[in-house]
Each structure stands twice: as structure tokens, then as C-alpha cells.
Amino acid sequence: MFTFNRRAKKGRLFASSVTDEIALNLELSHCVVEAPCKGRYYRPVPIKKIKYFDVWEGIGKNPGSYTPISRGKLHKQILQIFEKEFSITFTKEEKTILITNINYFIMFREELMANYSKILKKINPRLVLYTTSYIGEWVVLTETLKQLKIPCAEILHGYVDKHYLPYNYLKVGINDAQPDYIFVYSQLQKENVNWGISLDNIRVAGYPEGERRAAELLADSRNRDSIRITFISSMAPAIEKYINILADNLDMKKYEILFKLHPNEYTSWREIYTSLSDKIQIIDHNENDIHHYLVSSDIIVGINSTALYEATFYPANIYILKEDSYENMELLIRSETAFLVEDGRQLLSFILQNKGNSCKSNENIYKRNSISNINSEIRNIIGLE
């Protein structure tokens, strides 16, 4: 298993909300491998005997490899070809992303595949588990696994539906660098995405970390004097106006408002949200996982975030703001576990009326007994049942 390496501090450990719980409960013999995240490893972690592996180790240092100057020239030439072909001009941020993909898919692809091959041949797995299969390093891993004829299964790292581009295809088989199997959260999700692989290979498994954390936190939930409203950021500045309307119109002796930022905003939120009310609490750190805030909230508000799906584990009213990309929350709205809100005044009205539908059961969103389901699917894939 290659872990989901975006970790959050939990006590003295750094935890992964996607793969740790699975890695700790795999029934068959296994090897857990972690790649660096943003240039570093976050440790210690809950998993014993974890192996650390940087696929970029030694890349570009071989004789005949690209020099920094030749690399820069080739990046520029390829970007110019794309801009001319599609009659567009890339932004600085877009160029950074494209250069990363050029490195993975054109300039260093063979060297990266060779590095993956070394570790795979050493371990000789019957199945490889990983996440985010559409990101450069994992696309190259997938191609390597196909070449070595080793099956692979992706563990979803967030809730996706038919609006999420990386998983939706016009037809099966267009992209041959996809995982052989995908472990999804529910039958509802399986049926509402245009997967690029056979539907038989979409396996309904559930969400182990969410299931575990909800059981743990709900058993120790505490009463509060105030009604807590938590806004979940999806890096959309439009959310600011909703926060301010509530802060200006609610009795802040009765209510409290938290704004949980996206990790990518922790250092820049003051430039993004320039007029935020000073009556609210900003969460700009990873000292607690998202479940810590969800379980302690009476009302959860956002536009587009997996955290809004995870909120269904808890007895809170969930509101989806009708702003750009809210469509990604369609399954929440269709399943009537969340309310769609047109504007700030309607949100205020819903809250004052206590209009909501706090989730009694979210089994249509996350299948239960996820650890058992995943172990069963692994045995099935490798032919043990």
C-alpha cells in the first residue's frame, strides 16, 4: 500500500485520514510505503514498520540527463506548443502545474518507471493499493504496474460524483492508465459516476476512518451553551459574505461561528478574505482533524467539500451554498441529508427557523463495516475467496 501522505497532527503523531485505518487493519501480509509530501516526510506516524520511498531519488543525476538550462528550454518549448495549438495563454499557476506534468509524463517518465519497478520487483506484491490515481506520480505508478502485470486498486481520498472531472469519462477504456479497481464509499456513489473502468471493478467499501472517528467522538460528545456554526472552506471567496451576514445578524451570545480553512489557505487567508467579521473564530492549522470540528457543530455550512459528506456521520444540520461548484454536492442534496441555500438571507432564515435534516443514518452515503468490506474485496481480487 502507498499511503495518502497528506497528514494532520494528532497528539504526537501525524495521521492520514484516508489510509492509516486501512493499513492498521489489513488482514493479509503487506508492506506500507509513504512518499514525501511537499518535499518532506511527516513523522512519527501510527503505522509501525512503514517504509519511506521517494521516486525522484537520483532522477536527473545520471550522465546524459537534462541540465537545468536544457530542462528550462524544453519546458518553454512544450508550453508554447500547447498555447499555440489551443490558442490560449497559461497563467503562472497553470504553467507550474503543467511543468510538473511535463516532468512526469515526458522528460523523466522512463526514469521514474525504472525507480518504481525496483521497489515493486523487490516486494513482488499481488495487489497494490494507492490513492489519487490521476496525479502525475501515481499515473506513472499505474503505468508501471500495468507493464509488470500487477493489479492495482485505488482508495478514494474524497467524495466524488458525476461532476468531478478526474473520474468521469465518456466511455469505458478511454484512459489506459487507470487503476484496475476503485474502492468507493457507497452504492449511490457507484451508480452516479461515469467511471472509466468496468462497473464490476467498482467495489463498494465504505470509509474506515470516518466510521471509526464517528464512533469514537460520538461516545464522548459534550453539551455546549451556544449553538455552533462551522463553515467549511473550499477556497472560494464567495463564502465570506455568508459568514458576515450571520455574524452581523445573529445573537453572538447564543451562537458561535467557526471558519475551518482549507490547508492551502493557512498562510494566505488574510489576502483571500479581506473583510471577514472579527466576531468569528478562524481555524488555520491542522492541530485537530476535521471530525473534531464536525462532531462539535450544530450547523455545518459549505459550498464544495468532502467534509460536508463526512458531516453526515454527526447529528448536525448541513447547508450547501449555491455558489460555483456546489453541484459536486449533488448526492448530498438528492439524498436529502443537506439543504441547498440560495443566498445569505435564506441561510439566516433557515438557521433562525432551525430548518434542517440532521442525519439519522448515512448508510446511503457511506457503507457500514468498511474494514471488513475492504479486506473481503482484497481477498476477492487476488483470488482467495
Side-chain angles (χ1 to χ4, degrees), residues 5 26 29 41 75 81 107 109 131 169 173 229 236 256 265 291 322:
N5 56 5
L26 289 172
S29 62
Y41 296 110
H75 287 155
I81 290 170
M107 298 180 70
R109 179 173 172 271
T131 66
Y169 291 83
I229 304 169
E256 60 176 318
E265 298 175 315
H291 292 266
K322 195 173 182 180

Side-chain angles (χ1 to χ4, degrees), residues 362-373:
N362 70 343
E363 193 160 358
N364 61 334
I365 303 295
Y366 293 104
K367 186 177 181 179
R368 289 287 189 268
N369 302 313
S370 49
I371 288 295
S372 175
N373 299 336

Side-chain angles (χ1 to χ4, degrees), residues 98-318:
L98 286 166
I99 285 170
T100 299
N101 287 328
I102 289 168
N103 288 339
Y104 276 114
F105 304 138
I106 299 175
M107 298 180 70
F108 300 109
R109 179 173 172 271
E110 297 302 323
E111 291 178 71
L112 292 167
M113 289 182 72
N115 277 0
Y116 276 129
S117 291
K118 288 176 187 175
I119 187 173
L120 290 166
K121 288 177 180 178
K122 184 175 181 179
I123 298 171
N124 193 27
R126 296 179 66 181
L127 174 69
V128 170
L129 304 175
Y130 63 132
T131 66
T132 54
S133 66
Y134 55 89
I135 290 178
E137 60 189 301
W138 307 122
V139 172
V140 177
L141 171 64
T142 304
E143 291 183 312
T144 309
L145 291 166
K146 302 281 187 183
Q147 192 175 85
L148 297 174
K149 295 182 169 45
I150 299 171
C152 53
E154 176 177 1
I155 302 160
L156 285 187
H157 75 293
Y159 221 99
V160 303
D161 65 9
K162 67 181 182 182
H163 300 286
Y164 194 61
L165 184 62
Y167 294 96
N168 283 274
Y169 291 83
L170 289 174
K171 61 180 181 179
V172 171
I174 290 177
N175 179 2
D176 59 5
Q178 288 191 91
D180 300 297
Y181 302 87
I182 301 176
F183 292 172
V184 301
Y185 296 133
S186 68
Q187 187 66 28
L188 180 67
Q189 184 181 48
K190 176 177 178 175
E191 294 170 355
N192 282 277
V193 176
N194 300 309
W195 307 101
I197 64 175
S198 168
L199 206 57
D200 290 340
N201 288 3
I202 305 299
R203 305 298 175 88
V204 179
Y207 178 32
E209 178 67 10
E211 213 172 334
R212 181 190 69 82
R213 285 294 278 153
E216 176 182 279
L217 292 170
L218 287 170
D220 191 36
S221 59
R222 297 178 176 87
N223 293 323
R224 291 181 312 283
D225 295 329
S226 59
I227 297 171
R228 177 173 289 177
I229 304 169
T230 298
F231 281 81
I232 305 296
S233 173
S234 55
M235 300 191 293
I239 203 168
E240 182 177 37
K241 62 189 176 188
Y242 294 87
I243 295 173
N244 288 342
I245 285 175
L246 296 193
D248 291 341
N249 290 279
L250 291 174
D251 180 355
M252 299 308 285
K253 294 179 181 178
K254 183 179 178 182
Y255 293 88
E256 60 176 318
I257 300 174
L258 275 62
F259 185 23
K260 174 64 179 74
L261 297 174
H262 189 281
N264 290 343
E265 298 175 315
Y266 288 167
T267 60
S268 61
W269 66 267
R270 290 174 180 83
E271 287 75 48
I272 301 170
Y273 309 103
T274 57
S275 304
L276 269 179
S277 171
D278 60 4
K279 300 175 185 178
I280 72 169
Q281 180 182 347
I282 306 290
I283 310 299
D284 59 356
H285 54 75
N286 277 343
E287 292 176 12
N288 300 293
D289 69 4
I290 190 63
H291 292 266
H292 171 87
Y293 302 104
L294 298 178
V295 73
S296 62
S297 301
D298 303 288
I299 297 164
I300 299 166
V301 186
I303 300 170
N304 171 24
S305 172
T306 289
L308 297 169
Y309 281 97
E310 294 178 78
T312 64
F313 282 108
Y314 305 100
N317 289 337
I318 305 168

Side-chain angles (χ1 to χ4, degrees), residues 319-381:
Y319 298 114
I320 308 298
L321 307 177
K322 195 173 182 180
E323 298 287 344
D324 283 349
S325 79
Y326 86 93
E327 297 91 350
N328 292 334
M329 302 292 102
E330 179 184 340
L331 296 183
L332 269 185
I333 300 165
R334 276 178 45 195
S335 61
E336 299 184 346
T337 49
F339 273 87
L340 181 62
V341 175
E342 297 284 341
D343 55 40
R345 289 293 164 186
Q346 187 178 57
L347 176 62
L348 176 64
S349 174
F350 282 0
I351 289 172
L352 291 174
Q353 295 172 36
N354 193 29
K355 183 175 182 178
N357 187 20
S358 58
C359 204
K360 303 295 188 295
S361 171
N362 70 343
E363 193 160 358
N364 61 334
I365 303 295
Y366 293 104
K367 186 177 181 179
R368 289 287 189 268
N369 302 313
S370 49
I371 288 295
S372 175
N373 299 336
I374 288 172
N375 279 308
S376 177
E377 292 295 352
I378 291 171
R379 288 194 298 270
N380 177 271
I381 290 169

